[in-house]
Amino acid sequence: MSKDDRRLAPPANDEMPERECARMLPDAERLLVLDRAFECNPMAIMVTGRDNRIIAVNRSFTRLTGYAADEALGRQPSMLKSGLHNPEFYKAMWDTLHAIGEWSGEIWDRRKDGSHYPKWLDISVVRDGPGGPVSHYVAFFKDISANKVVEERIRLLAYHDPLTGLPNRLLLMDRLTHALASAKRRQALVAVLFIDLDHFKNVNDSLGHAVGDKLLWEIAHRLNTCVREEDTVARLGGDEFVVVLESLQDREDAEHIANKVHRAFERPIQVEGRVLHATASIGIAVHPQDGDSAETLMQNADTAMYQAKAFGRDNCQFFAPFMSDRVRERLDLENTLRHALERDEFELYYQPIVDLRTDEVVCAEALIRWRHPDQGLIPPDRFIPIAEETGCIVQIGDWVIDQACRIHAAWRARGMRPPRMAVNVSPRQFRQPGLADRIRRSLDRHGVEAAQIDIELTENALMDHPDMAARILGDLKAMGLGIVVDDFGTGYSSLAYLKTFPIDKLKIDRSFVRDLLTDNSDREITLAVIALSHNLGLKVVAEGVEHPRQLEFLKRHHCDRAQGYFYSQPVPAGEFLDFLREYRERPPA
Ligand code: C2E
Ligand code: CA
Ligand code: CA
């Protein structure tokens, strides 16, 4: 009853049952009113006699079913049956109807034109007096397809990833659980492939999320083409996908699919006029060997995926128990690394760089160490990559620069004529806005001239985004800092860019210097880098010099500087001063 109806109704009738209200009318008028209520009711109404033949239907019935009244009268309600429910369904309905006098529920019917639709149905039994025999059945019903569409949409949203339309984690776990149950009965294998795109973050960061989304969409599409109908491809979020392969014959089948995935990614992906190349790291866990439950299989596949990343990405690894230990160790490091800075657990070691013409120590490279409370001294190769991935490299890098400036100032204060200082800057730290300002503040805080500091950057830090790199390098150079390209020869440098960047020095990577005397190609590369540097007007530094004969070779070929165990390992600040004093008193012959 709407508010207006209530206002019109006489106050005395407010509490009166509806049936009483209808009875108050004279018989003829009452029949007329009830007939209208029947005929114009927005619910479809169908009345059957005790023989279950239709004796009355209203307009809504005709509108909904497509049957005119004269087509329905005299026939049985089964004329509306869809055939989608089994006999047990109808039996249960009739049982309830006779036991309690009414039945309500959802049911699928068929229209006159043959189309199916879901309806909500209320049926009541009419008896000849209380406890008497059934005289009629009255059925009310309405089309609920619109609700169904909404329901289906909600179901879809709850179980699917909106971007790609793939099943989400919820549905994936459900399907995996079912697959495992049936595999156990049939003693079949089930494989979980954990797929993580390599360097996807770079795409998002540099090209924007719209491009990232389109790339993910295309990846989802390609993954779907790699599997059979009964397999599941799901997206967990971000750039993580999972494929569940059911009823495998042997483990190699899973590897075969992983190879298919790698091949599917080989074709370049066009997004908004750009050509992108995606690669993926894939971890595989197979039931029953690698786990019984959905959770264990997922976790082990994830672990194997990490191993694939560690193996240089773009490959696939089967889970093996030893991997769990490594992942645990890595997670431990990741967690304690977050607090290492506030607990003051980092130290800088210093390694001399010597001018090969004058034999003078001209530079000290600052190299970070982590004094872990349980594990002792941890070398940078074990934690810098983690710091880079988690982002805490930015704070750690700031600390390194500040500490290097502090030590440089302290050496000078002791009247030592300290050599210049070189610090390593990681790719992420390099790209982080405000690097020049933060270096400036450290220089000012400790009263160090920019000209006393070299910044060492790897080729990849520069070449991944050359335009951005040129801008940042310009800022650093304008401050008066020296710029060094580290590990030269291991990355992928474009000589065209190299020429335009304001670089001062190239460092020949240790791997070439190591086998200089025995390996022809390493020797050729070393000579080529020396020549290239000199052509570009740059100084060239050889790192990893351990033997006098390597040094002799480098001197003979006009390499400008050398660094390595031949002179000194990296040592703490105090020891470095001792080394310097001794070296200056007794320079090598
Ligand atoms: P890098 O910049 O190429 O540093 C040179 C590495 O070679 C150092 O390893 C050094 O100890 C080692 N080395 C020097 N001479 C010899 C030699 O004659 N023989 C051999 N076998 N090795 C030699 P370290 O200190 O373990 O550092 C490894 C890498 O970690 C560095 O390579 C650098 O990429 C990174 N790293 C170190 N400190 C920092 C830092 O403060 N920030 C950043 N972002 N990275 C750092
Ligand atoms: Ca370096
Ligand atoms: Ca290096």
Side-chain angles (χ1 to χ4, degrees):
M1 214 189 243
S2 77
K3 230 160 74 196
D4 294 52
D5 295 338
R6 240 177 289 140
R7 229 187 309 118
L8 290 175
N13 285 354
D14 249 11
E15 245 96 82
M16 215 176 270
E18 242 170 85
R19 190 194 288 231
E20 297 297 315
C21 173
R23 285 220 175 109
M24 283 177 63
L25 300 169
D27 273 359
E29 194 181 342
R30 191 172 137 241
L31 275 180
L32 202 69
V33 170
L34 291 185
D35 189 56
R36 272 263 341 124
F38 177 82
E39 204 40 57
C40 304
N41 200 303
M43 293 283 273
I45 307 177
M46 173 178 72
V47 183
T48 56
R50 72 169 53 103
D51 60 353
N52 201 24
R53 296 210 174 265
I54 300 171
I55 56 171
V57 295
N58 67 353
R59 273 188 237 160
S60 293
F61 174 95
T62 302
R63 209 176 313 122
L64 178 53
T65 65
Y67 292 106
D70 54 4
E71 291 173 308
L73 296 183
R75 296 179 63 185
Q76 293 197 330
S78 56
M79 67 185 281
L80 303 176
K81 266 192 185 176
S82 61
L84 295 174
H85 301 283
N86 53 21
E88 288 83 64
F89 175 86
Y90 293 104
K91 180 173 180 307
M93 179 176 111
W94 282 108
D95 287 351
T96 309
L97 198 52
H98 288 135
I100 62 173
E102 52 192 34
W103 183 90
S104 307
E106 243 180 72
I107 182 167
W108 282 83
D109 270 1
R110 187 170 31 207
R111 297 192 185 87
K112 186 179 170 186
D113 65 10
S115 60
H116 291 131
Y117 65 101
K119 73 183 189 186
W120 184 261
L121 172 63
D122 290 292
I123 315 178
S124 311
V125 172
V126 183
R127 293 182 185 276
D128 271 344
V134 173
S135 65
H136 299 89
Y137 299 96
V138 184
F140 288 83
F141 53 89
K142 67 175 178 197
D143 184 350
I144 52 167
S145 6
N147 309 23
K148 283 274 162 204
V149 170
V150 173
E151 260 174 43
E152 177 61 18
R153 181 97 197 107
I154 290 172
R155 207 182 57 78
L156 220 70
L157 282 177
Y159 289 106
H160 291 81
D161 160 45
L163 173 64
T164 60
L166 292 178
N168 63 10
R169 183 188 292 269
L170 214 62
L171 184 53
L172 167 76
M173 292 308 271
D174 195 53
R175 293 217 186 139
L176 181 54
T177 308
H178 275 107
L180 288 174
S182 99
K184 279 173 198 162
R185 280 197 305 275
R186 291 177 294 122
Q187 303 209 315
L189 304 183
V190 175
V192 174
L193 274 64
F194 208 108
I195 302 171
D196 191 288
L197 301 188
D198 300 326
H199 305 300
F200 176 71
K201 213 183 152 304
N202 292 354
V203 174
N204 256 353
D205 287 353
S206 55
L207 303 177
H209 285 262
V211 173
D213 283 357
K214 287 194 181 126
L215 180 68
L216 288 173
W217 190 91
E218 176 64 24
I219 293 288
H221 179 73
R222 290 193 186 180
L223 282 177
N224 257 331
T225 62
C226 296
V227 300
R228 300 163 304 175
E229 189 85 34
E230 64 263 36
D231 299 325
T232 298
V233 179
R235 177 172 174 234
L236 296 188
D239 56 348
E240 288 181 342
F241 296 86
V242 168
V243 172
V244 173
L245 305 172
E246 299 191 35
S247 331
L248 290 191
Q249 294 305 316
D250 48 49
R251 288 165 74 86
E252 280 67 49
D253 292 351
E255 193 172 8
H256 172 71
I257 299 290
N259 291 336
K260 234 169 131 178
V261 170
H262 280 304
R263 276 200 305 278
F265 285 10
E266 270 167 14
R267 256 182 309 125
I269 299 175
Q270 295 245 2
V271 178
E272 293 185 353
R274 285 172 191 277
V275 179
L276 304 176
H277 294 266
T279 61
S281 301
I282 305 180
I284 306 177
V286 183
H287 163 82
Q289 193 172 329
D290 305 329
D292 250 353
S293 70
E295 287 76 20
T296 314
L297 276 178
M298 286 285 286
Q299 191 174 1
N300 289 345
D302 187 17
T303 298
M305 186 277 289
Y306 264 101
Q307 192 67 22
K309 292 254 181 222
F311 266 121
R313 302 165 202 266
D314 194 16
N315 72 102
C316 114
Q317 295 292 323
F318 277 97
F319 173 75
F322 79 87
M323 293 176 180
S324 305
D325 304 339
R326 282 218 197 139
V327 167
R328 209 168 304 121
E329 184 192 289
R330 197 202 128 100
L331 277 178
D332 274 357
L333 277 193
E334 204 176 302
N335 287 331
T336 42
L337 188 57
R338 288 178 207 286
H339 306 291
L341 204 53
E342 61 205 49
R343 293 186 190 145
D344 206 18
E345 289 172 355
F346 293 118
E347 290 171 22
L348 289 186
Y349 276 37
Y350 303 87
Q351 189 179 33
I353 300 174
V354 174
D355 185 306
L356 294 185
R357 255 185 323 108
T358 62
D359 277 330
E360 251 185 284
V361 174
V362 285
C363 186
E365 178 175 5
L367 295 156
I368 196 169
R369 304 288 181 261
W370 178 10
R371 195 166 292 282
H372 192 280
D374 313 319
Q375 300 187 28
L377 211 59
I378 302 185
D381 290 334
R382 265 184 68 204
F383 68 88
I384 291 289
I386 302 177
E388 177 80 5
E389 235 168 79
T390 58
C392 56
I393 189 66
V394 177
Q395 287 86 4
I396 296 176
D398 285 349
W399 177 87
V400 168
I401 290 166
D402 198 69
Q403 181 69 3
C405 289
R406 178 199 316 275
I407 293 295
H408 195 270
W411 285 344
R412 206 188 42 211
R414 296 180 59 166
M416 278 306 294
R417 267 192 311 118
R420 42 193 304 123
M421 187 77 95
V423 290
N424 293 283
V425 168
S426 84
R428 183 142 176 193
Q429 186 189 354
F430 178 65
R431 285 198 304 269
Q432 181 81 13
L435 175 67
D437 290 342
R438 293 198 305 276
I439 297 179
R440 174 85 269 156
R441 279 201 290 280
S442 283
L443 292 171
D444 292 348
R445 188 175 305 130
H446 302 289
V448 175
E449 282 173 39
Q452 291 299 312
I453 306 291
D454 278 343
I455 301 294
E456 297 200 358
L457 295 155
T458 58
E459 278 174 280
N460 295 341
L462 300 178
M463 296 302 167
D464 280 353
H465 306 281
D467 297 332
M468 192 204 273
R471 240 187 4 259
I472 306 173
L473 285 180
D475 291 347
L476 299 181
K477 187 71 193 169
M479 277 171 66
L481 296 162
I483 310 287
V484 182
V485 179
D486 206 349
D487 303 346
F488 189 78
T490 57
Y492 177 79
S493 275
S494 148
L495 291 183
Y497 276 114
L498 213 55
K499 244 169 63 182
T500 62
F501 288 155
I503 297 167
D504 300 291
K505 300 176 194 97
L506 292 187
K507 266 191 169 184
I508 310 171
D509 190 66
R510 197 165 79 221
S511 58
F512 304 117
V513 176
R514 188 184 56 213
D515 300 326
L516 192 63
L517 302 171
T518 49
D519 185 309
N520 275 337
S521 61
D522 284 351
R523 184 165 50 237
E524 291 309 317
I525 291 173
T526 303
L527 293 176
V529 176
I530 294 175
L532 172 77
S533 305
H534 291 162
N535 278 335
L536 294 173
L538 310 176
K539 289 227 179 316
V540 59
V541 185
E543 50 173 25
V545 177
E546 297 184 0
H547 303 292
R549 287 187 53 213
Q550 290 168 324
L551 192 67
E552 192 262 328
F553 177 93
L554 291 163
K555 277 189 173 173
R556 186 150 37 89
H557 291 96
H558 310 291
C559 181
D560 301 291
R561 294 175 177 192
Q563 168 184 11
Y565 294 172
F566 174 77
Y567 296 106
S568 165
Q569 299 214 350
V571 291
E575 274 178 53
F576 184 81
L577 276 192
D578 295 342
F579 163 83
L580 200 59
R581 211 173 286 125
E582 233 172 83
Y583 184 91
R584 283 176 178 170
E585 281 166 15
R586 274 188 291 114

